[in-house]
Structure formats: C-alpha cells, structure tokens
Amino acid sequence: MKTLSFYIKKTVELVFLGALCFCLGDSAARIGEHYPFITVSASADGSWGLSFQEEGKPPIANASSEYLKQFHAFYAADTAEKVIYLTFDAGYENGNTAAILDALKKHNAPAAFFLVGNYLETSPELVKRMVAEGHIVGNHTYHHPDMSKISTKESFSKELVDLENLYQQVTGQPMKKYYRPPQGRYSESNLRMADELGYHTFFWSLAYVDWYEDQQPTHEEAFKKLLGRIHPGAVVLLHSTSKTNGEILDELLTKWEEMGYRFASLDQLVQP
C-alpha cells in the first residue's frame, strides 16, 4: 500500500519534470503516462507542456485556458465539436512546404504558418502562396530566440516588429498579430507584453517529435500519435520541415475527416 509520503514524493517529481518539458507536449505527455493519478499544475513561466490522460480527450496543459485568456492566449478551443485548428511552425524551407500546401488545398483546410525571418528571406514565393491560398501567416519572431529570457518590452517588441516589417515588404500586406513563442518558452511578462502589443499568443494541444531532419518518424509512428491524441478543439502543431508530414498530410487529413472532424481557421478560435 502506497503511503502519503510516496504521493508527496511523486508530486514533487512531477513538478520538477514539468519544468523540464520543452516545445512539444510529447515529452510532457510521458509524465501523464507514468503518473496518471496526478494532474499537471498551472505554470506562469517555463516551457509549454501537455499531459495526455485519455484518448480522444483534450490534454492537461501546464497553464489553464482561463489563465491564458487574460492575455488573449490560447492552446485549444473549449468545445465538444470535432473541429481542428491546423498550425505549422516554419523556421526554414527544405522542400516539404509545397506538398503540405497541396494537401491543404485538396481538403480546403485553412492553416496558420508561424514563420521566422529566415523563412521570409529565403522563401518569399512560398509565403505569397500561403497568403494567396487563404492561410494565416503568423509571427514566430525574427531570430527564434528564447523569448522568456527577454525582459524588456523594447527587445521583445523588436523581435516581432522586425518580422512584421519584412512580411509587409514581401507581401505588401500588414501581418496578422498572431504570435507563437519559439520552443514554447514563455513567461507571464512575455504574455503580457505580447498582449499589450495587440497580439494573440498561440500554444498547442497536440504535437509530436517531427522536427529532427535526420530522425524523422515513420508514417506509422506519426499516425499513432496524431490519430490517437486528436480531440475536439485541438490546435495541432506540425513542422513544415518534416518530410514525414509532407508525405502523410493528405492521408492524415482524410483520416481525421473520416473520424468526423472539420478544419477551421484560428480566426474562429479567437472570436468571443
């Protein structure tokens, strides 16, 4: 029989492990698998993390929707409707974005692409295609730094405004004020600064380890995570650099549709 001290010890372990979770909630999800009797407590600072407790249900995040709402920040929709918000982080282009755009167009699925300065500098035609095909282009900062370490509003603002300016040069349009913190690193002061600059901040409720070019997941591994953990109101994070994502996206969207899901724009998520 487990003693109270055992559960206290496990709670301390969980808090420590939660602080170590990085960009994808995949690592955090393992916490829930090993400690299913404990929920992840809210955190105002650190790395975004998720704990998946039940298949088909939203994960527990390390900051609640209510907490995030005060900063116009989101990680999922609070709904029972089978709706998915597709998002892609794009730090550079390596030949997979065209296939991703083709699949999105085939399924009439809107998406948001969170870009950094390098992507806009090297792949302006793909950015123009994203815009022409009705996708949102969001701000992933100019240099992709750990924004939680930036303490001044001036420096924080510069990372966002420099990208806004480059986007306007490339597309001739103002950039939508949608922001995703690089690596999921954030602090309460970051959330507040982004809000004061007129930004909505977007985390995610489903992602998987897809960003290592030389260690790409197999199709089977990708489907297991992305089908098994999908849930109503999911904000899905995928990386456009992933060869696997480029290869499976058409089939993945088909499978989600067969499960009864539809795809919606982040614009619908932010509407009150």
Side-chain angles (χ1 to χ4, degrees):
M1 181 176 178
K2 295 180 175 65
T3 65
L4 178 61
S5 62
F6 169 85
Y7 288 104
I8 292 173
K9 177 175 179 290
K10 291 302 180 185
T11 301
V12 172
E13 288 178 5
L14 178 61
V15 172
F16 174 73
L17 287 169
L20 297 178
C21 294
F22 272 98
C23 158
L24 279 186
D26 220 63
S27 298
R30 298 190 189 103
I31 296 172
E33 292 168 1
H34 292 297
Y35 305 100
F37 51 86
I38 301 176
T39 59
V40 178
S41 60
S43 172
D45 298 275
S47 297
W48 188 247
L50 302 168
S51 175
F52 287 86
Q53 305 284 313
E54 185 179 349
E55 186 169 312
K57 300 292 185 181
I60 296 170
N62 61 344
S64 70
S65 294
E66 286 304 311
Y67 167 78
L68 294 173
K69 191 179 295 184
Q70 64 186 308
F71 307 107
H72 296 98
F74 306 85
Y75 79 95
D78 182 13
T79 181
E81 183 184 0
K82 286 191 168 183
V83 58
I84 296 171
Y85 303 92
L86 296 168
T87 71
F88 295 84
D89 284 2
Y92 57 96
E93 175 53 32
N94 62 350
N96 297 300
T97 304
I100 288 170
L101 288 168
D102 289 345
L104 293 171
K105 186 174 184 179
K106 178 179 177 181
H107 291 264
N108 194 29
F113 290 84
F114 288 92
L115 309 183
V116 301
N118 173 72
Y119 198 97
L120 279 157
E121 290 168 349
T122 62
S123 307
E125 294 309 312
L126 282 170
V127 177
K128 291 175 184 177
R129 180 181 170 187
M130 292 170 191
V131 175
E133 294 183 359
H135 302 299
I136 291 168
V137 174
N139 200 319
H140 203 34
T141 74
Y142 199 98
H143 297 102
H144 202 266
D146 178 348
M147 296 291 276
S148 71
K149 294 181 178 178
I150 294 179
S151 59
T152 68
K153 190 172 181 179
E154 180 182 7
S155 297
F156 185 91
S157 175
K158 182 172 172 55
E159 276 292 333
L160 299 179
V161 171
D162 284 355
L163 194 79
E164 290 176 18
N165 292 338
L166 180 56
Y167 175 83
Q168 183 138 13
Q169 291 174 24
V170 169
T171 66
Q173 302 178 19
M175 190 174 212
K176 188 175 284 282
K177 289 185 177 290
Y178 287 0
Y179 161 61
R180 172 164 284 157
Q183 306 171 57
R185 295 284 300 171
Y186 72 102
S187 66
E188 184 169 298
S189 64
N190 285 170
L191 294 173
R192 184 173 292 108
M193 285 189 283
D195 188 34
E196 290 171 353
L197 291 168
Y199 271 87
H200 290 85
T201 298
F202 293 93
F203 293 100
W204 56 89
S205 63
L206 175 58
Y208 78 123
V209 181
D210 63 348
W211 66 91
Y212 294 117
E213 278 196 271
D214 56 351
Q215 297 179 43
Q216 280 291 287
T218 65
H219 291 193
E220 293 73 18
E221 290 168 340
F223 284 130
K224 181 179 179 180
K225 290 287 177 68
L226 297 172
L227 296 178
R229 292 179 175 175
I230 196 62
H231 58 87
V235 174
V236 178
L237 162 61
L238 301 172
H239 284 82
S240 63
T241 52
S242 167
K243 183 173 183 288
T244 296
N245 289 342
E247 292 171 347
I248 71 167
L249 190 60
D250 180 19
E251 185 177 357
L252 176 64
L253 299 183
T254 298
K255 289 180 181 294
W256 276 334
E257 288 169 331
E258 290 172 349
M259 294 170 70
Y261 283 91
R262 68 176 181 86
F263 309 108
S265 166
L266 289 183
D267 286 341
Q268 294 174 253
L269 178 59
V270 304
Q271 290 174 353

